[in-house]
Amino acid sequence: ETSFAQSFINFFDTGNIVTSAGLIWLGTAIFLLIKKIWDYHNFVRFVRWNSTPVKNEAYIENYISICNLMGIINPQVLYVCGSIGTPMLVGILRHEIILPEKIFKSSSGPEYIFRHELTHYKRLDIFYKWLMQIVRYNHWFNPLVYLVSNEINKYCELSCDESVLES
């Protein structure tokens, strides 16, 4: 029989600490990644539920012509949603471009918006962003990874903007 004190000392044996720390790290990383996937899934579901296909023929024709110019053979479906404030490309396997309602009230055309979102689609930015999320949650304890992740997202957007402005 071992006493409580001996059990306590044995628990803090080097092997047990490493094992415990590894399990804490792994459990936290898995929890954070699953939470991110769940939150993203719920967000996409919410946006899709509150979206309707774009019916404005001029916008659709403009969108198709931009897809052709950019070499996109199978254009993504355009949706409009009143619950968002900015255009976005959503979905991991089934991509969709979601536009806020305020775009239709704007006097300027959506050409730049289409080009921006289609550039994200062509460059597979959504996959890179998810890869960064995996790295981020794998290194959840390192604040530098959060800073790098935010910078990657920012430069991804700026790169798309630059590409659109150049074309």
Side-chain angles (χ1 to χ4, degrees):
E1 289 184 41
T2 58
S3 68
F4 175 75
Q6 186 63 37
S7 297
F8 188 75
I9 291 170
N10 288 343
F11 177 77
F12 285 102
D13 183 22
T14 306
N16 287 337
I17 288 177
V18 171
T19 302
S20 298
L23 289 174
I24 290 170
W25 163 79
L26 182 63
T28 304
I30 290 171
F31 171 77
L32 291 172
L33 185 59
I34 289 172
K35 183 181 180 326
K36 178 67 176 185
I37 291 168
W38 180 257
D39 290 346
Y40 183 73
H41 170 75
N42 285 336
F43 173 74
V44 170
R45 201 170 71 186
F46 169 79
V47 168
R48 284 180 177 154
W49 180 263
N50 290 301
S51 298
T52 57
V54 172
K55 293 184 172 48
N56 185 318
E57 290 296 324
Y59 276 61
I60 294 171
E61 288 175 17
N62 191 351
Y63 174 66
I64 299 286
S65 68
I66 290 172
C67 286
N68 291 335
L69 284 173
M70 294 180 72
I72 296 173
I73 298 167
N74 189 11
Q76 305 311 304
V77 178
L78 281 179
Y79 288 93
V80 63
C81 179
S83 303
I84 61 170
T86 184
M88 62 184 68
L89 177 70
V90 298
I92 295 174
L93 299 175
R94 189 182 79 189
H95 303 307
E96 296 163 352
I97 295 176
I98 314 291
L99 305 170
E101 282 182 353
K102 68 181 178 183
I103 285 179
F104 296 98
K105 297 173 185 165
S106 171
S107 61
S108 61
E111 295 85 14
Y112 291 118
I113 293 167
F114 293 155
R115 287 181 184 271
H116 180 94
E117 297 306 324
L118 289 170
T119 301
H120 279 305
Y121 172 72
K122 259 185 105 164
R123 290 182 177 180
L124 303 175
D125 286 346
I126 202 157
F127 294 110
Y128 294 123
K129 287 183 178 189
W130 273 102
L131 180 62
M132 190 62 225
Q133 292 300 315
I134 291 169
V135 170
R136 184 179 190 165
Y137 296 126
N138 197 23
H139 297 275
W140 57 266
F141 51 86
N142 187 347
L144 290 176
V145 174
Y146 289 87
L147 293 173
V148 169
S149 173
N150 292 337
E151 289 297 306
I152 286 173
N153 282 334
K154 180 173 81 175
Y155 284 112
C156 181
E157 291 299 322
L158 290 174
S159 173
C160 273
D161 289 342
E162 183 178 341
S163 173
V164 167
L165 291 175
E166 282 179 358
S167 65

